[in-house]
């Protein structure tokens, strides 16, 4: 009975709120980034968009480890990718101004793609060496100008099982080149809220948790540092996953 009532609530309230907030946020971001500071308008409207949506779906959120972050410092944040609500959790509750590194295909999503393009989010385009180079050049410019970080899902795709797949080295190579600390983050609950095989279906009620681990500073520079940092980040994220999602499971989408 409770599940049925929650689904009716979603249809009548949560989904309309999500649609209206998405349109409103895209318009505000588009106008704001055209007229003013892209760092401001590219972050704060999206932050409130994410918070309103998580609250509209009545999802409790808990953030742990905020004390590990220093103010006025850029980071490369990396997290496991359990589901669609990872976006709302990080955008709404990380509490840091950042840009997303995301698949270029997401540019095609109505309203969301427009807002991301106007706010200078970083679209990862792997359709040839020149496009890959341009992607990371933009990421470098973002990190070198202003107090702004980037957030990356190093698996590159959402999990089908809730477990972690293989990490790709791009984010860690970027951190290595710019001598920045990598901050691992563990997401729990998102897979149960909306498993990948149920995209755009009813949301399941479940708490969301974001665990921010201590930053991993560079331990040298070059391929060895990239590999060491990537493994340390992987182990940190894995250490805080719920027991049922511990351990590696291959993701066929990687």
């Amino acid at each position: 009975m409770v599940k049925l009532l929650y689904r009716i609530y979603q249809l009548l309230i949560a989904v309309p709120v999500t649609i209206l907030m998405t349109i409103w946020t895209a318009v505000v971001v588009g106008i704001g980034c055209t007229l003013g500071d892209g760092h401001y308008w590219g972050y704060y409207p999206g932050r409130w968009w994410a918070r309103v949506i998580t609250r509209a779906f009545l999802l409790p959120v808990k953030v742990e480890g905020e004390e590990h972050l220093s103010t006025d410092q850029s980071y490369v944040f990396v997290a496991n990718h359990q589901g669609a609500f990872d976006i709302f959790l990080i955008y709404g509750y990380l509490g840091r101004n950042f840009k997303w590194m995301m698949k270029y295909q997401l540019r095609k999503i109505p309203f969301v793609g427009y807002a991301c393009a106007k706010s200078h989010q970083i679209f990862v385009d792997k359709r040839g060496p020149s496009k890959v180079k341009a992607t990371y050049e933009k990421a470098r410019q973002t990190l070198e100008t202003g107090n702004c970080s980037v957030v990356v899902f190093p698996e590159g795709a959402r999990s089908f099982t809730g477990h972690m797949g293989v990490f790709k080295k791009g984010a860690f190579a970027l951190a290595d080149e710019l001598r920045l600390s990598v901050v691992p983050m563990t997401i729990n609950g998102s897979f149960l809220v909306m498993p990948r095989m149920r995209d755009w279906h009813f949301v399941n009620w479940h708490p969301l948790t974001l665990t921010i681990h201590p930053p991993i500073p560079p331990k040298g520079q070059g391929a060895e540092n990239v590999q060491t940092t990537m493994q340390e980040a992987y182990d940190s994220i894995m250490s805080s996953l719920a027991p049922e999602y511990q351990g590696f499971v291959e993701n066929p989408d990687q």
Side-chain angles (χ1 to χ4, degrees):
M1 185 62 180
V2 173
K3 186 175 183 179
L4 176 60
L5 290 174
Y6 185 47
R7 289 187 171 186
I8 293 172
Y9 167 82
Q10 289 180 48
L11 288 173
L12 297 179
I13 297 177
V15 171
V17 166
T18 298
I19 294 171
L20 291 173
M21 275 299 299
T22 300
I23 296 172
W24 178 85
T25 302
V27 171
V28 170
V29 169
I31 295 173
C33 289
T34 300
L35 300 177
D37 182 0
H39 278 311
Y40 179 89
W41 292 104
Y43 170 65
Y44 286 99
R47 180 186 183 187
W48 285 107
W49 166 77
R51 286 191 169 213
V52 168
I53 290 173
T54 51
R55 290 172 181 174
F57 281 97
L58 309 178
L59 302 174
V61 172
K62 181 179 181 181
V63 180
E64 303 171 328
E66 295 169 288
E67 69 277 7
H68 296 310
L69 303 179
S70 299
T71 58
D72 301 323
Q73 183 171 340
S74 296
Y75 296 105
V76 175
F77 291 96
V78 296
N80 59 312
H81 204 1
Q82 281 202 333
F85 272 76
D86 297 344
I87 306 298
F88 303 120
L89 178 60
I90 293 175
Y91 217 161
Y93 298 93
L94 176 57
R96 302 284 298 202
N97 197 326
F98 67 86
K99 302 293 185 186
W100 293 100
M101 291 189 71
M102 59 181 69
K103 293 180 178 180
Y104 77 92
Q105 293 94 331
L106 297 178
R107 190 192 292 262
K108 299 178 182 179
I109 299 177
F111 297 106
V112 173
Y114 167 79
C116 289
K118 291 294 290 184
S119 59
H120 307 293
Q121 306 300 326
I122 303 164
F123 292 99
V124 179
D125 193 337
K126 299 181 180 179
R127 296 174 296 176
S130 63
K131 292 185 180 295
V132 172
K133 183 178 179 180
T135 294
Y136 283 96
E137 180 59 32
K138 182 172 182 180
R140 281 191 289 271
Q141 292 173 0
T142 297
L143 287 164
E144 289 173 340
T145 56
N147 180 27
C148 191
S149 299
V150 295
V151 173
V152 187
F153 295 115
E155 294 167 274
R158 286 169 293 157
S159 172
F160 284 99
T161 63
H163 295 77
M164 284 206 298
V166 175
F167 275 11
K168 299 176 183 179
K169 68 178 183 179
F172 306 97
L174 179 66
D176 175 74
E177 182 175 339
L178 296 178
R179 315 304 296 143
L180 291 173
S181 295
V182 171
V183 179
M185 302 188 297
T186 303
I187 293 172
N188 277 300
S190 180
F191 180 73
L192 294 173
V193 169
M194 183 178 279
R196 181 169 181 181
M197 49 285 210
R198 293 184 57 250
D199 278 356
W200 313 120
H201 291 264
F202 286 106
V203 167
N204 295 319
W205 186 92
H206 195 278
L208 295 167
T209 302
L210 178 66
T211 302
I212 303 168
H213 298 277
I216 304 171
K219 300 178 179 66
Q221 191 164 21
E224 185 176 352
N225 178 57
V226 170
Q227 185 61 41
T228 299
T229 303
M230 183 168 63
Q231 187 61 55
E232 189 172 339
Y234 190 96
D235 293 342
S236 293
I237 295 171
M238 181 72 75
S239 70
S240 292
L241 275 175
E244 59 266 35
Y245 301 119
Q246 291 277 336
F248 168 77
V249 172
E250 184 177 1
N251 185 340
D253 196 27
Q254 289 192 300

